[in-house]
Amino acid sequence: MYCTYFITGGAGFIGSSLAESLIKEENKVIAIDNFCDFYSLKIKENNIKELEKNKNFILYRADIRDRQAVKKIFDENKIDVVMHLAAMAGVRPSIENPVLYQEVNCMGTQNILEEMKEHNVKNIVMASSSSVYGNCKEVPFREDMIVDYAISPYAATKKANEVMAHVYHKLFDMNVIMLRFFTVYGPKQRPDLAINKFTRLMLADEEIPMFGDGTTSRDYTYIDDIVDGIKKSCYHVMKNKNVYEIVNLGNSSPISLKEMINTIGQAVGIKPKIKQLPMQPGDVEKTYADVLKAKKLIGYEPKTTFKEGIQNFVNWYKENKELYS
Ligand SMILES: NC(=O)c1ccc[n+]([C@@H]2O[C@H](COP(=O)([O-])OP(=O)(O)OC[C@H]3O[C@@H](n4cnc5c(N)ncnc54)[C@H](O)[C@@H]3O)[C@@H](O)[C@H]2O)c1
């Protein structure tokens, strides 16, 4: 279906990948991004370079904390569905600057919900995170588990988003899907994430800092599978009424830190030099998604194996390494 999609955080890793896919299918994409300095602007500018050549892509360089700027976007465009991805991401930096995380992730989100309400826009798909599961002992993580025990400010803001979106669903008939992403990786991946950092270090023949003994594990999810899951969630909220769902988007196949390092080593073609360091505060031991609900509800079916995904990332990284210098 050809629609007008509004992507917040449209110059980011996931936002720009999603925008590319929607533009290819001849939809109209409105995006907002404030190009915050969480990581190099060069990378974000590169993410949207091709998109900006397309007349169906309109980018507002503005901040979601600025209510008037958000209002202007809703005044100027007839939006079918909002994909709210703008956020301060990252667990460790949220411990250093929790107030900023609160302002962007919570107040910014409220501005989006308020302007949707004012403009009678009913459909939203929003990024939550696997971080809300904290150190839940039972695996795989299911959406109906109790997630009241966040262990980082970042996770707490994502849980707060899930709760606030439910309020707008109940009071103002909004159709909402909250997507709990599980460590997303692939071409354009954020430079602060381990796969990106480790690739950079291995290509420079430097040591890899391994926090803990290498047995912690993550359910890594390839960017194309995430984009597919977000689009399917959009179709669901647009087609149905009275929707409020929390949905895991993961790969349901955790990879240990050691295996991750070795897989990158194979793709780069070297034997990694590992330096073991203590675990970091805020880090969880394991993430592992149960994706049964996503399969049933939206027909989500992740396809990319970790080995393939890492090889794609490493190939892409080699061609774009000047962005990370
Ligand atoms: N990448 C992952 O592994 C992962 C995992 C779980 C959840 N998420 C969530 O998915 C979403 C997208 O993540 P990403 O990896 O693409 O991160 P990203 O940092 O690449 O993208 C976020 C974008 O939002 C923009 N932004 C930040 N503050 C803003 C503000 N105040 N106003 C307007 N724009 C602002 C940034 O400039 C950036 O381009 C985030 O909500 C993140 O919390 C990501």
Side-chain angles (χ1 to χ4, degrees):
M1 74 176 97
Y2 303 107
C3 296
T4 301
Y5 292 82
F6 175 35
I7 306 180
T8 73
F13 164 41
I14 301 174
S16 62
S17 307
L18 177 62
E20 271 170 21
S21 170
L22 292 169
I23 287 288
K24 237 183 243 159
E25 293 165 1
E26 299 188 5
N27 296 290
K28 187 167 179 184
V29 174
I30 314 297
I32 184 173
D33 205 295
N34 74 341
F35 291 77
C36 73
D37 62 2
F38 181 55
Y39 59 85
S40 161
L41 298 188
K42 219 163 53 171
I43 299 171
K44 293 182 188 180
E45 292 293 350
N46 187 63
N47 287 346
I48 46 128
K49 198 172 67 189
E50 288 305 311
L51 282 165
E52 281 199 303
K53 293 179 189 160
N54 193 301
K55 65 176 182 359
N56 286 330
F57 180 78
I58 301 169
L59 173 67
Y60 290 79
R61 291 175 185 255
D63 196 308
I64 58 167
R65 286 169 292 178
D66 177 351
R67 176 82 183 262
Q68 284 313 309
V70 175
K71 177 177 183 302
K72 185 168 182 282
I73 296 173
F74 282 92
D75 285 344
E76 291 179 354
N77 300 283
K78 196 175 165 344
I79 291 161
D80 295 305
V81 60
V82 177
M83 281 149 300
H84 179 37
L85 305 173
M88 288 305 297
V91 169
R92 288 174 202 161
S94 78
I95 299 171
E96 272 144 47
N97 202 348
V99 174
L100 175 65
Y101 275 68
Q102 174 72 15
E103 286 170 357
V104 173
N105 298 5
C106 296
M107 272 316 296
T109 297
Q110 189 116 30
N111 284 339
I112 300 289
L113 291 167
E114 275 294 292
E115 288 308 323
M116 286 178 67
K117 180 185 88 185
E118 294 300 323
H119 291 80
N120 205 25
V121 175
K122 293 289 186 197
N123 306 315
I124 181 163
V125 173
M126 202 188 297
S128 182
S129 167
S130 61
S131 315
V132 300
Y133 290 104
N135 269 329
C136 276
K137 289 286 171 247
E138 196 186 327
V139 288
F141 299 154
R142 277 189 335 271
E143 296 85 345
D144 59 359
M145 286 175 168
I146 293 169
V147 291
D148 290 341
Y149 304 101
I151 57 170
S152 69
Y154 170 69
T157 63
K158 289 293 179 182
K159 164 79 185 184
N161 287 167
E162 292 181 354
V163 178
M164 188 56 80
H166 186 262
V167 173
Y168 282 75
H169 161 69
K170 271 289 170 209
L171 296 180
F172 310 114
D173 291 329
M174 281 189 197
N175 296 314
V176 180
I177 293 188
M178 299 297 310
L179 293 174
R180 291 180 179 163
F181 298 145
F182 283 68
T183 321
V184 189
Y185 75 103
K188 302 208 275 187
Q189 193 196 22
R190 292 200 329 251
D192 58 305
L193 295 169
I195 290 176
N196 194 314
K197 269 192 210 160
F198 291 177
T199 303
R200 185 165 64 236
L201 291 170
M202 284 188 213
L203 286 167
D205 200 24
E206 287 180 30
E207 274 183 341
I208 308 299
M210 185 176 80
F211 296 106
D213 63 1
T215 57
T216 57
S217 58
R218 294 285 174 276
D219 198 0
Y220 296 102
T221 319
Y222 192 64
I223 182 68
D224 293 0
D225 292 323
I226 287 287
V227 165
D228 182 58
I230 300 174
K231 289 196 307 192
K232 285 177 171 154
S233 302
C234 289
Y235 309 149
H236 187 85
V237 289
M238 286 195 277
K239 261 200 236 141
N240 296 282
K241 287 203 179 341
N242 197 22
V243 179
Y244 178 85
E245 300 286 354
I246 295 176
V247 178
N248 288 339
L249 283 192
N251 201 43
S252 212
S253 166
I255 304 283
S256 74
L257 181 53
K258 236 187 195 141
E259 188 182 346
M260 180 261 261
I261 293 172
N262 288 332
T263 310
I264 300 174
Q266 281 163 13
V268 170
I270 65 151
K271 187 170 169 21
K273 291 184 240 165
I274 296 173
K275 182 177 180 194
Q276 192 171 334
L277 297 166
M279 284 274 286
Q280 300 273 292
D283 277 359
V284 300
E285 282 150 27
K286 184 176 213 158
T287 66
Y288 181 0
D290 183 321
V291 293
L292 228 64
K293 181 170 176 184
K295 282 185 184 178
K296 274 196 197 145
L297 190 76
I298 58 169
Y300 172 70
E301 199 70 61
K303 293 188 175 69
T304 318
T305 65
F306 190 60
K307 205 170 163 203
E308 283 163 2
I310 288 293
Q311 192 64 63
N312 293 347
F313 173 73
V314 168
N315 295 347
W316 179 87
Y317 187 94
K318 283 181 177 167
E319 280 167 24
N320 291 276
K321 54 173 186 286
E322 80 288 350
L323 290 174
Y324 298 94
S325 57

